[in-house]
Structure formats: structure tokens, C-alpha cells
Amino acid sequence: MSASPYLLRPARPDEIAPICRILAGMEPWLTLGITATSLETAFARDADIRRVQVAAEDDTLLGMVAFRTMRGMEYVSALRARSQRNAGLGDVSETQAPDYPDGGYVNCLAVFGNQQGRGIGLELLQYAEAETARDGSERLYLCVSDFNAAARRFYARLGYTEMTCFKDCVVVGRDELLLVKPVISA
């Protein structure tokens, strides 16, 4: 537990819709044209997002992380298949995993409103890293939009390195960079 004035805790089911509305109103989701409805659908459809952790101060949500601690390459395979379809390469199997070792995957990390700079994102990401290591995965993957310079700097500062680029992954004209970091179990 942190000495910070906010609390890290699991998201309640009734908080997912408000979280999706907040996300849809911020970058990179605005630029990518991702709506609150599509985010809610993704959260509901993706049974592998087993953990959604929030930072909250009283009843105010400050940030969140959604992640899986294992089988992240299944999700990455789906991203790669979408990228290849968008590039005009036709239907590509979503089950064909990239040639990377499996690990956890951060689906979404966000700090809401003017809360950036308080260490919330760092604490949420460190929580995901620790849980991933505790569950036996040796690495944690995530994607970041190529145009999201601040997030790219944040992840690089924390030891994440670029593995590959998925061209036109979410929308045509915007690329997603796959990053990875080794995590060590305690």
C-alpha cells in the first residue's frame, strides 16, 4: 500500500462505463476515434482482462490500469492480424503468435484529467508489473500509439523497450508500437 493520498483498488463493475466515458474523451482515444461504447464492448468481450485496478481519492477516479498477467501474446496476435488486414494482406490467422515469448499485457493505462505528475501512472503500472511477476510471467507487454510522445517517454524511462511496430493497427494511418519489459518475481 502506498503512502499517497489516493487508494489503489480493484475497479467496481459499476465503474467500467464511467471509466470508458473518461477514456473516450482523452488522448490517444480521441485521435484514434475510439468511443465509450466500443471501449465498453471491448471490456465486456475480453474475458482475459481479469484485472482493472483504479486509483481513487474518496469517490473520485484518478486513473486506471487494465491488464492480463498471462497469455498476452494471444492478444498481440490479434493486434498483428488486424494490422495485416488493414494493410491489405487479407485474412491472417489471429492464433499465430509473434515470435516473442509469452507474458502479461497491459491493455490500458490512463491517468485522468489533471492528475498527471502525481505518480499515479507509475504506481498503477508497477502494480501490474508486480502482479504479472507474481503470476509467473517473466515479461510485460503493452502498446503505445506512435504519436503519443509523452507516453513513449514515460515507458522508456521505466525500462520498456520497443519490439515492433503494428502499422495501421487500430485505425489506418496510425501505428501502435509494441513495448516489453522483463518483470522479476519476488
Side-chain angles (χ1 to χ4, degrees):
M1 199 60 65
S2 76
S4 58
Y6 53 85
L7 173 69
L8 292 186
R9 62 167 175 78
R12 297 186 313 258
D14 66 322
E15 291 175 322
I16 299 301
I19 286 170
C20 291
R21 285 192 297 274
I22 293 168
L23 292 173
M26 38 185 311
E27 291 297 342
W29 299 276
L30 280 170
T31 296
L32 296 173
I34 297 175
T35 66
T37 302
S38 64
L39 287 166
E40 283 185 66
T41 300
F43 275 97
R45 178 186 62 230
D46 192 349
D48 274 342
I49 301 178
R50 305 245 186 256
R51 297 182 173 109
V52 178
Q53 194 77 4
V54 297
E57 202 166 43
D58 299 320
D59 290 330
T60 303
L61 295 175
L62 308 176
M64 59 80 66
V65 63
F67 63 100
R68 65 192 78 229
T69 59
M70 295 182 198
R71 296 194 338 260
M73 285 299 98
E74 290 176 18
Y75 184 79
V76 171
S77 293
L79 289 177
R80 183 171 73 171
R82 180 186 313 155
S83 174
Q84 291 174 335
R85 277 193 304 275
N86 288 347
L89 299 177
D91 278 339
V92 179
S93 170
E94 292 186 11
T95 60
Q96 179 187 0
D99 297 328
Y100 308 130
D102 206 5
Y105 186 83
V106 172
N107 291 73
C108 181
L109 173 69
V111 177
F112 304 146
N114 61 355
Q115 301 301 318
Q116 292 185 356
R118 294 180 58 187
I120 295 167
L122 173 63
E123 197 166 345
L124 287 164
L125 188 57
Q126 287 175 334
Y127 177 84
E129 291 171 357
E131 287 295 297
T132 299
R134 188 182 65 74
D135 281 358
S137 291
E138 296 179 0
R139 62 202 48 79
L140 186 60
Y141 296 94
L142 58 87
C143 281
V144 63
S145 298
D146 64 341
F147 61 86
N148 195 342
R152 290 173 69 183
R153 285 190 303 274
F154 172 75
Y155 293 125
R157 198 169 56 246
L158 297 176
Y160 284 82
T161 58
E162 186 177 326
M163 299 283 298
T164 193
C165 175
F166 295 122
K167 295 275 192 203
D168 303 323
C169 183
V170 178
V171 295
V172 175
R174 300 293 183 179
D175 302 336
E176 293 295 313
L177 306 173
L178 179 66
L179 308 180
V180 66
K181 179 180 178 180
V183 293
I184 301 166
S185 60

